[in-house]
Amino acid sequence: MRINVERPDKKTLESMGIKEWPIWTKEPSRFDWSYDQKEVCYILEGRAKVTPDGGSPAEFGPGDLVTFPEGMQCVWDISEKIKKHYRFGS
């Protein structure tokens, strides 16, 4: 499974309604995670590396739009406190 990381422009973010999405924060840490549905998130602050089971790691930071596929199991490694907007589902 693949993690998609992109750098959207302001117009794209506005059309997605990112500012209306909930916010999640997490201090530097390392933990296992699994996605029972797709997640799209926009990174406001911090840095992390997420490694899917059997896949290549993805690193991301402020300004990145990250999509995690449904069914993915992974390890999060947060190096700088993360603050992100997020949305589950399609």
Side-chain angles (χ1 to χ4, degrees), residues 17-67:
I18 296 273
K19 289 183 179 181
E20 305 303 315
W21 297 2
I23 290 179
W24 180 81
T25 60
K26 181 79 172 160
E27 69 283 344
S29 54
R30 183 179 169 89
F31 57 92
D32 295 333
W33 193 254
S34 61
Y35 289 88
D36 57 2
Q37 54 185 316
K38 179 175 107 174
E39 179 188 352
V40 178
C41 62
Y42 180 69
I43 309 302
L44 298 168
E45 300 173 7
R47 301 205 68 76
K49 177 171 72 172
V50 177
T51 306
D53 287 358
S56 299
E59 295 187 48
F60 46 85
D64 287 334
L65 185 70
V66 187
T67 303

Side-chain angles (χ1 to χ4, degrees), residues 2-19:
R2 188 173 160 274
I3 300 167
N4 186 48
V5 180
E6 53 191 306
R7 298 287 287 191
D9 60 26
K10 196 173 202 172
K11 188 173 184 173
T12 301
L13 294 174
E14 288 173 3
S15 71
M16 294 175 75
I18 296 273
K19 289 183 179 181

